Amino acid sequence: MTAETTKSALTRQRILDAAAKAFRAKGFVATRLAEIAALAGLRAGSIYYHFASKEQILEEVLDIGIR
């Protein structure tokens, strides 16, 4: 199993996908971490294992979009 396919990496990608969808629909300010977590099938607190803040999630979503 490679680093990209680890459970942690897959969960992280689910969070980023969910965040991108929520940010697009509601905007950054109106989107809550709990909404991102629900879309990703996680509890809100679990997001902090992967990301330090909502701002960090936004940075990564934008970086992926740019690439």
Side-chain angles (χ1 to χ4, degrees):
M1 194 176 256
T2 66
E4 277 75 42
T5 59
T6 65
K7 183 177 177 185
S8 180
L10 293 173
T11 300
R12 187 176 174 86
Q13 189 58 54
R14 280 196 351 248
I15 293 167
L16 292 171
D17 292 342
K21 190 178 295 185
F23 294 156
R24 186 172 47 248
K26 296 181 74 173
F28 174 76
V29 173
T31 300
R32 297 177 317 130
L33 282 177
E35 294 168 309
I36 295 170
L39 285 170
L42 303 168
R43 294 183 180 185
S46 300
I47 289 179
Y48 289 109
Y49 176 81
H50 302 279
F51 298 96
S53 66
K54 186 168 80 166
E55 289 78 10
Q56 183 186 13
I57 296 171
L58 176 64
E59 286 177 25
E60 293 213 26
V61 167
L62 292 174
D63 186 49
I64 291 167
I66 290 169
R67 281 190 268 133

